[in-house]
Amino acid sequence: MSAKKSNGSIERYDNIKTVPFKFNSRINVPFSPETELSGMNRRIMPDEYLVYERKFTIPEDFNKGRVFVNFGAVDQIAVVYINGNKVGEHKGGYTPFKFEITDYITDGENQIMVYAFDYTDTNEYSRGKQKLNRGGIWYSPQSGIWQTVWLESTPVKYLERVKITPDYDKEQVTFEYFGTDEVEVLIYDGKELIADTTDKTVKIPDFKPWSPENPFLYNVVFKAHGEKIKSYFGMRKFSIGEDEKGIKRLFLNNKPYFHNGLLDQGYYPDGFLTPPSYETMENDVRFVKDCGFNMLRKHIKIEPLLWYHYCDVNGIIVWQDMVNGGGKYGAEVSVIPFVNITLDDRNYRNFHRTDLEARKLYYREMEDTVELLYNCPCIAVWVPFNEGWGQFDSEKAYEKMKSLDSTRIIDTTSGWHDMGFSDVISKHIYFTPIKVKKGNRPYVLSEFGGLGLKVAGHTFNDKMFGYKVYFSKDSLTKAYSKLYNNVIIPQIKDGLSATVYTQVTDVEDELNGLLTYDREVEKIDREELRKINERVKYDDYSKN
């Protein structure tokens, strides 16, 4: 890998095969050069770009007819060459992409080169919580390849993608195929084959529903053009309804269901956005489950698909944020919301969203995100915007999201600047008393808490950020217990439908996690959390 100075343009590299490069570093992919696990610890600035090179040989029996190169994610812009030929470019640092390279590979040794450009927060592209001047709730920036890269071969005609839609009320599941309609589908209940058909809609009478308490998954095999593709689905329904008192609630499988969750940033001290191992990802999810929570809000990040698989099989509901962009944030997120002013997000200057290309890219990334995660049973809620970070045209964003996926709930403007187009009333409350106000939508406390404790020897640096700071495990535990027992649980009967406590782990300066950043210390014992969470649920309060 090599880092070079950039003039901010990618067009100049259309004929890059004529430009010689001397590669001066080795990097451990898929870790960004800024991270310890990359083996580099090298900060990449916006006026630089990365050049990756690798030589590879296609195994003799690998090519079935077509060959693709897949990228889990490259931050923010990627341009890919095979044997000196440009095969494609991709904008967007958090979504996967692939290019066909069939016509560019040769027998023997091949060369792949990837050029990565990352402007972080110096342009309006999606960047998440990365900031060049990190600190507080903003984290260290990273660049380039940060998810897995792999080769794939398919027949000339093949099953490109399947869209799986369970219909809880009609006791059936529908499969929409892309690339071919010549598909045989086999559905299994455990090892028992319960359907073998070419029909696109399959009845499953007396099905086993998916829920956090019983995350049952049906295995499915798709047969197409000599290939077998394995997957799964869950029979469940996320919706909104009224309880016995006429209060709007979140529903799961046609019954009121309380979403009791945590904010999950998905950052790691040695890999930043990239988990150091699959086991680490799985352990995070299992910790949440062991503590008695049933939901995670995946905050301003798109994880590798395996993370969502762990949520599917462990029974964790997921609220999925879109990744934020826009210009440098100001009073629209730091001052104005706290004096009860709602800005019009149709005026792009209000939220620093004046770049037309970046706005178009946001919608393309929205489409890519929904396509990527649509089949995950765990996804219950989409969150287009958070706290006014690069917010714009929330009415259009809501309508766009509904057109992409009508089976999930939408929290359009999590926190504030609610323009009225959302399925929920969504509030972030850290500094003022929490008081539920019933309305024509379910009331969700989509962020709160943030109680901080610094554990010596387990911090990123010497800084301390938390919404309220404690100095011992005992005092933190008592404060957390008081918050839930005196404030949260009593208001469930009044209409509180979901809570998202901040947060799963510490992240850099933020020391308000239930776990330290290195995941080695539980700040509140999971047994204590589980005992409290047994009471954080919806009950038929009309009978009380």
Side-chain angles (χ1 to χ4, degrees):
M1 191 206 79
S2 182
K4 304 289 183 181
K5 287 290 183 180
S6 170
N7 68 353
S9 170
I10 63 173
E11 285 75 17
R12 64 180 289 200
Y13 303 112
D14 281 342
N15 296 311
I16 201 70
K17 63 181 180 180
T18 65
V19 179
F21 278 98
K22 181 179 180 181
F23 291 90
N24 51 28
S25 303
R26 293 184 64 85
I27 185 169
N28 184 22
V29 172
F31 300 100
S32 294
E34 293 87 348
T35 67
E36 176 186 336
L37 289 173
S38 73
M40 292 190 61
N41 282 313
R42 163 76 156 83
R43 179 79 174 271
I44 305 301
M45 301 304 292
D47 64 345
E48 298 179 295
Y49 63 94
L50 296 167
V51 187
Y52 295 83
E53 185 208 39
R54 179 165 178 168
K55 302 291 178 62
F56 66 95
T57 302
I58 302 292
E60 187 174 330
D61 58 349
F62 180 79
N63 189 347
K64 303 175 185 176
R66 302 173 73 175
V67 178
F68 299 85
V69 60
N70 291 265
F71 294 83
V74 180
D75 196 11
Q76 290 170 302
I77 301 170
V79 186
V80 180
Y81 291 80
I82 298 292
N83 295 327
N85 300 289
K86 182 179 176 181
V87 296
E89 67 180 56
H90 178 268
K91 294 182 179 180
Y94 289 77
T95 51
F97 57 97
K98 66 192 292 184
F99 299 124
E100 183 169 3
I101 62 174
T102 311
D103 294 336
Y104 304 104
I105 56 175
T106 63
D107 295 335
E109 188 175 71
N110 293 269
Q111 178 202 54
I112 181 170
M113 293 180 71
V114 179
Y115 296 78
F117 305 80
D118 184 7
Y119 305 111
T120 313
D121 56 341
T122 64
N123 72 1
E124 295 189 17
Y125 288 0
S126 299
R127 60 182 178 269
K129 300 195 77 173
Q130 302 177 66
K131 199 171 188 295
L132 288 175
N133 185 21
R134 58 152 304 281
I137 67 169
W138 307 106
Y139 310 146
S140 297
Q142 64 179 79
S143 307
I145 298 170
W146 67 273
Q147 286 196 32
T148 303
V149 183
W150 72 99
L151 291 176
E152 169 192 16
S153 185
T154 70
V156 173
K157 188 173 184 180
Y158 70 103
L159 179 58
E160 298 175 10
R161 180 168 65 91
V162 181
K163 185 177 181 181
I164 306 174
T165 305
D167 189 324
Y168 190 92
D169 295 329
K170 293 183 179 180
E171 298 185 307
Q172 64 187 30
V173 60
T174 298
F175 305 101
E176 183 179 357
Y177 302 122
F178 298 83
T180 180
D181 280 330
E182 302 171 37
V183 183
E184 178 186 0
V185 59
L186 290 74
I187 301 174
Y188 293 85
D189 177 342
K191 294 183 178 180
E192 180 186 358
L193 179 65
I194 62 172
D196 183 349
T197 181
T198 57
D199 293 342
K200 293 182 180 179
T201 298
V202 183
K203 286 283 188 179
I204 308 179
D206 302 317
F207 63 80
K208 298 174 182 177
W210 183 97
S211 70
E213 291 73 28
N214 181 33
F216 184 83
L217 298 169
Y218 287 92
N219 293 316
V220 58
V221 176
F222 302 101
K223 292 183 177 181
H225 303 283
E227 292 190 304
K228 291 183 180 180
I229 302 99
K230 296 181 180 180
S231 187
Y232 60 80
F233 63 89
M235 295 297 295
R236 77 322 168 235
K237 175 183 177 183
F238 297 112
S239 60
I240 290 171
E242 293 184 356
D243 67 10
E244 296 82 355
K245 287 182 161 183
I247 298 173
K248 291 285 187 179
R249 300 280 186 182
L250 301 181
F251 274 44
L252 171 62
N253 300 338
N254 292 329
K255 296 179 181 179
Y257 191 87
F258 193 88
H259 292 208
N260 174 24
L262 298 171
L263 198 70
D264 186 2
Q265 314 274 5
Y267 267 76
Y268 305 87
D270 48 4
F272 295 179
L273 286 172
T274 311
S277 67
Y278 296 147
E279 183 182 28
T280 302
M281 275 198 300
E282 185 174 17
N283 287 343
D284 281 358
V285 173
R286 286 185 171 176
F287 168 77
V288 171
K289 186 72 173 183
D290 287 347
C291 291
F293 296 98
N294 60 31
M295 177 261 280
L296 284 169
R297 178 181 168 200
K298 180 48 63 178
H299 194 38
I300 317 297
K301 181 191 178 187
I302 301 168
E303 292 283 3
L305 268 175
L306 193 57
W307 183 87
Y308 300 93
H309 169 73
Y310 294 140
C311 292
D312 290 337
V313 299
N314 284 285
I316 293 290
I317 293 169
V318 173
W319 293 22
Q320 178 63 51
D321 290 7
M322 298 298 109
V323 180
N324 61 295
K328 294 185 182 297
Y329 306 145
E332 79 279 4
V333 305
S334 60
V335 177
I336 290 175
F338 299 101
V339 292
N340 296 318
I341 294 176
T342 298
L343 295 178
D344 187 349
D345 62 17
R346 295 171 296 181
N347 183 339
Y348 301 138
R349 293 186 183 88
N350 283 340
F351 295 91
H352 308 280
R353 269 293 195 178
T354 56
D355 187 325
L356 175 60
E357 183 186 7
R359 296 198 302 272
K360 289 181 178 179
L361 180 59
Y362 171 84
Y363 283 116
R364 188 157 67 249
E365 290 175 311
M366 176 188 285
E367 293 175 5
D368 291 344
T369 302
V370 173
E371 179 180 312
L372 175 70
L373 301 178
Y374 183 89
N375 292 344
C376 300
C378 62
I379 302 285
V381 177
W382 299 114
V383 185
F385 298 111
N386 176 76
E387 293 186 349
W389 301 351
Q391 182 177 321
F392 70 100
D393 290 339
S394 59
E395 177 183 358
K396 292 181 181 178
Y398 175 81
E399 292 171 350
K400 176 69 172 179
M401 186 66 82
K402 279 293 185 185
S403 71
L404 294 171
D405 185 0
S406 61
T407 71
R408 267 93 173 195
I409 297 160
I410 301 175
D411 177 4
T412 310
T413 54
S414 186
W416 42 72
H417 297 298
D418 184 346
M419 303 298 293
F421 299 93
S422 183
D423 292 333
V424 296
I425 299 168
S426 180
K427 298 295 182 181
H428 296 185
I429 302 176
Y430 288 106
F431 305 110
T432 57
I434 297 170
K435 180 60 181 174
V436 173
K437 295 181 180 178
K438 291 179 291 186
N440 61 350
R441 295 174 277 168
Y443 186 103
V444 302
L445 190 56
S446 45
E447 284 189 35
F448 80 108
L451 308 183
L453 172 66
K454 187 175 185 179
V455 181
H458 297 275
T459 60
F460 180 77
N461 55 30
D462 292 331
K463 295 183 179 180
M464 171 72 186
F465 178 90
Y467 295 102
K468 193 169 183 180
V469 177
Y470 296 87
F471 298 96
S472 70
K473 183 175 182 177
D474 183 63
S475 62
L476 175 66
T477 301
K478 287 179 179 177
Y480 180 96
S481 179
K482 182 179 179 181
L483 176 60
Y484 272 83
N485 289 323
N486 294 358
V487 178
I488 298 303
I489 293 171
Q491 295 195 78
I492 297 176
K493 69 179 185 303
D494 300 325
L496 183 59
S497 291
T499 50
V500 181
Y501 179 85
T502 302
Q503 58 188 330
V504 178
T505 73
D506 294 346
V507 185
E508 298 195 353
D509 296 359
E510 288 192 66
L511 303 185
N512 48 24
L514 296 178
L515 290 170
T516 53
Y517 198 15
D518 56 14
R519 277 74 169 170
E520 291 185 4
V521 179
E522 296 178 14
K523 298 188 191 178
I524 302 175
D525 291 335
R526 67 182 71 192
E527 293 79 11
E528 181 68 23
L529 292 168
R530 188 162 53 241
K531 184 170 64 175
I532 295 170
N533 283 332
E534 286 174 356
R535 300 181 57 224
V536 185
K537 60 183 178 180
Y538 173 84
D539 280 316
D540 184 356
Y541 288 105
S542 63
K543 297 177 181 178
N544 296 338

